[in-house]
Amino acid sequence: MTDSDDRRSPAARDGTRDEIPAPLASRQAPTITSGPDGHQHGQPASDGPRKVGGTPAPLDLVPAMIAATRAITCATDEASLFAAAVESLSCLGHDAFYLSRFCDDANSVLEIVGVWKRGGAPPVPAGTRLQRSAYPGLEKIAAGDPILYEDCATDPRLHETTRRLMVDKMGIRSMALFPLMHGDRLLGSLSANYGAPHVYSPEERQLLTLVAQLSAVTLLGIRSRKQIDEKVRLVEALYRAGDAVAVISEEAPLLDRTAELLVNEVGYVISWIGLVDPERGVLASRAGLGRNFGVDLSIVHPLDNPRSAAVAAFHQGHPVVRHDLHERREAEAWGEAATNAGLRTGVYVPLRAGGEALGVLGVGSSDERITEDEVALIAAFGNQLAAAILRARRDRERTEQLAQIEQAYDRQARLLEVVRELSTPVIPVHDGILVLPLVGTVDSNRSAQIMGSLLSAIEREQASVVLIDVTGVPMVDTGVADHLLRAVRAAALLGAEVVLVGIAPTVAQTIVQLGVDLSGVTTRGDLQAGIAHALRRRGLEIRPLQAAAAAPPGAGGARLRKVR
């Protein structure tokens, strides 16, 4: 076997192997006892899953899958296979488990290899043989898809007779029936049952699917230990790769890391990821890596190219396998370098998540053929990758939206600052005289703004008189009066006199009723009277001009004159 033929990871090729965690390696297998009929009745080493506060602990999928793979693929006969399957699924907390197989070449008679029931004898003992026609569920899973009955009492797919048998006589309220398949051939089934309605999580389905796949392979017994070890290695490598890419939050590094792991860790000759470009109508190469050679990322696959397997997988929505890549190297665009590296077989799986077709993942192998089990594992990894890509895109969109929101918030904050400045204008009307008109409610926040604007204007203009016009303030209570008195005292500290003008009669009555003391504050009835007062404080007054004829050209009707 050449290096190009060896698909093991670099660590495996160097003579080392990853160790299974000690808690998983030390798990006890179920206790198997032989009944009077010579068949197997199992009791798990622990009576169900570990519980926290009376509730089954969350399923840790990857260790459970690794443990199931180790246990089931090490089985040497039906008894150890049944024991390994029961123990592998004990973390699900089911109440009964059945493993069955066909015992004739015509697949017409089904025999129960083993059965386990929590806390009692099973209604159907191990060794029972059933005609295939008497077990209608077999026909429903013969195509390779499992059946999940979350509540047998209400599921419309069950015939009434079957429902009464399952619910009333067998005590089954929920059933997961998974096929044991080899290619398109049904070898048997495994069933995990519950005494109460049960909703199957995606992790439970993945674990059940894996156990069914591994049980079928082991039960068939057509693979050598080397082939089984290779599958174990592939499962572990793909799930490690899935864990590694799941923590990457940006799309480009995510794709590059995936391509690297598929070659350097999983052991494929080449990996390629193409994502759809809807504007150009192509699958554009986004990442790729070859074993000891590069991948041309400028290659695109037009979505209307019927010869491309990648395009076929994208449109069909299921994996496409090519066993003739040497002859198809031009159509698939793998290139001479990949051919020289021993590329023989390729698998293309669609990348779909959230109802959206994202692209295609392709891997190439030096093996002459890739099994359907391996294709299923690659497809499962493709689903993980698609979910990670979609998550990265949505994270990016959320980041961009947050940035836009922050920009909008900054613009709004600047606008509010302008509005606040315009709401408290301090207007110079003459040298040393300022007017501060107030409109609207005066609260604590606005009071601070008024104070800051007023003191800054007094200092800037060297003002000696400030007129605060409260004509536009609809209500004056103790809080507003306190704010105004604070402004008066602060202005006095800078040497300016504050004059309150425009106090309405109703406001004056309210101030008196509240007992607010304004005795130390100068007040005037309106702004005109206030300006006249301020001018007198500056030694100025407004007088009418003499007759128009004696007035200089362009003069108005009145002139500001110095008081003598």
Side-chain angles (χ1 to χ4, degrees):
M1 180 175 64
T2 65
D3 181 73
S4 63
D5 293 329
D6 189 357
R7 295 179 51 226
R8 297 173 296 169
S9 66
R13 291 197 294 269
D14 292 339
T16 62
R17 63 186 302 168
D18 297 322
E19 293 295 328
I20 189 168
L24 299 178
S26 62
R27 291 179 67 179
Q28 295 178 331
T31 302
I32 302 298
T33 59
S34 297
D37 52 6
H39 293 279
Q40 309 303 319
H41 304 265
Q43 288 295 335
S46 60
D47 190 22
R50 176 176 63 86
K51 295 188 177 182
V52 179
T55 302
L59 175 59
D60 197 349
L61 181 61
V62 173
M65 285 186 164
I66 294 175
T69 303
R70 290 290 191 189
I72 295 175
T73 56
C74 289
T76 57
D77 53 25
E78 291 182 354
S80 59
L81 170 61
F82 173 70
V86 173
E87 178 62 11
S88 298
L89 296 176
S90 63
C91 57
L92 301 185
H94 53 269
D95 298 309
F97 175 80
Y98 293 79
L99 180 67
S100 61
R101 59 161 173 76
F102 287 107
C103 56
D104 63 333
D105 294 335
N107 280 8
S108 60
V109 179
L110 188 74
E111 181 176 2
I112 298 178
V113 174
V115 57
W116 168 81
K117 185 176 186 299
R118 185 188 304 275
V124 181
T128 301
R129 292 191 174 189
L130 303 171
Q131 291 295 321
R132 180 168 181 165
S133 59
Y135 197 175
L138 292 177
E139 299 304 324
K140 297 180 180 179
I141 64 173
D145 296 324
I147 298 178
L148 300 176
Y149 298 111
E150 294 184 345
D151 190 352
C152 298
T154 60
D155 198 305
R157 295 173 295 175
L158 289 172
H159 189 273
E160 185 60 28
T161 302
T162 305
R163 188 193 321 279
R164 287 198 299 267
L165 174 64
M166 294 176 64
V167 177
D168 299 335
K169 294 186 178 182
M170 301 180 68
I172 299 174
R173 284 296 299 273
S174 179
M175 170 187 286
L177 184 63
F178 278 71
L180 306 184
M181 303 293 295
H182 180 72
D184 57 357
R185 181 185 176 191
L186 180 63
L187 304 178
S189 68
L190 65 80
S191 174
N193 305 333
Y194 293 84
H198 181 77
V199 177
Y200 297 89
S201 69
E203 291 80 6
E204 290 176 307
R205 298 183 186 189
Q206 292 186 52
L207 182 58
L208 284 163
T209 299
L210 179 65
V211 170
Q213 292 173 347
L214 295 173
S215 297
V217 171
T218 306
L219 187 63
L220 188 63
I222 62 172
R223 290 189 174 186
S224 65
R225 177 58 56 187
K226 179 179 178 180
Q227 291 173 314
I228 296 176
D229 284 344
E230 169 59 20
K231 181 168 183 176
V232 173
R233 186 204 63 76
L234 180 64
V235 170
E236 293 179 347
L238 285 174
Y239 276 102
R240 283 198 302 269
D243 283 345
V245 301
V247 299
I248 302 176
S249 59
E250 297 183 8
E251 183 173 313
L254 167 67
L255 300 179
D256 291 338
R257 181 59 175 159
T258 300
E260 176 187 348
L261 288 169
L262 288 172
V263 173
N264 294 338
E265 297 297 329
V266 181
Y268 289 109
V269 174
I270 189 173
S271 63
W272 172 83
I273 302 172
L275 299 183
V276 64
D277 185 340
E279 294 183 358
R280 299 166 58 193
V282 299
L283 283 175
S285 301
R286 293 291 306 276
L289 183 68
R291 185 188 297 172
N292 302 323
F293 63 90
V295 175
D296 186 0
L297 297 183
S298 65
I299 295 174
V300 297
H301 293 266
L303 293 178
D304 58 356
N305 179 10
R307 298 188 60 201
S308 170
V311 173
F314 176 80
H315 287 306
Q316 296 172 14
H318 59 73
V320 174
V321 181
R322 289 286 187 256
H323 296 291
D324 53 352
L325 287 186
H326 182 75
E327 292 77 12
R328 295 179 55 83
R329 60 180 178 270
E330 296 301 329
E332 302 305 326
W334 292 110
E336 288 291 339
T339 302
N340 295 336
L343 181 64
R344 296 181 177 87
T345 308
V347 179
Y348 303 84
V349 297
L351 301 177
R352 296 191 173 192
E356 182 179 355
L358 304 177
V360 174
L361 166 67
V363 295
S365 170
S366 57
D367 293 343
E368 291 290 346
R369 304 191 70 80
I370 292 182
T371 67
E372 294 184 3
D373 291 331
E374 185 171 346
V375 172
L377 291 171
I378 298 170
F381 177 79
N383 292 336
Q384 288 182 284
L385 175 60
I389 294 173
L390 186 62
R391 185 195 66 246
R393 290 183 174 181
R394 289 178 175 174
D395 288 346
R396 184 183 68 245
E397 291 173 357
R398 281 193 291 268
T399 301
E400 293 173 352
Q401 291 172 355
L402 287 174
Q404 294 174 357
I405 292 173
E406 291 176 354
Q407 292 174 359
Y409 178 80
D410 291 341
R411 289 194 298 269
Q412 184 182 27
R414 290 193 296 270
L415 179 60
L416 289 175
E417 182 65 25
V418 172
V419 171
R420 283 194 295 266
E421 291 177 358
L422 293 176
S423 67
T424 55
V426 182
I427 306 169
V429 295
H430 195 271
D431 291 342
I433 301 175
L434 302 176
V435 174
L436 173 60
L438 297 180
V439 178
T441 303
V442 179
D443 55 17
S444 298
N445 292 333
R446 193 177 180 198
S447 171
Q449 174 109 21
I450 292 171
M451 182 80 73
S453 299
L454 177 62
L455 298 182
S456 297
I458 291 174
E459 182 180 16
R460 182 178 63 253
E461 301 294 334
Q462 295 295 305
S464 59
V465 182
V466 177
L467 306 177
I468 299 181
D469 188 357
V470 296
T471 305
V473 178
M475 180 187 68
V476 174
D477 55 16
T478 54
V480 174
D482 181 65
H483 295 322
L484 295 176
L485 291 175
R486 288 173 182 270
V488 170
R489 289 193 292 269
L493 293 176
L494 295 181
E497 177 190 5
V498 174
V499 181
L500 290 180
V501 302
I503 298 177
T506 55
V507 173
Q509 184 178 3
T510 301
I511 292 176
V512 172
Q513 291 175 347
L514 293 175
V516 178
D517 185 11
L518 295 179
S519 59
V521 180
T522 303
T523 61
R524 290 294 182 269
D526 54 24
L527 182 60
Q528 180 178 354
I531 292 176
H533 171 80
L535 290 174
R536 284 194 296 273
R537 291 296 304 271
R538 301 283 297 176
L540 301 170
E541 64 179 0
I542 299 176
R543 291 181 180 179
L545 294 175
Q546 296 177 354
R559 175 173 295 178
L560 188 64
R561 298 197 174 194
K562 193 77 173 178
V563 178
R564 297 183 180 275

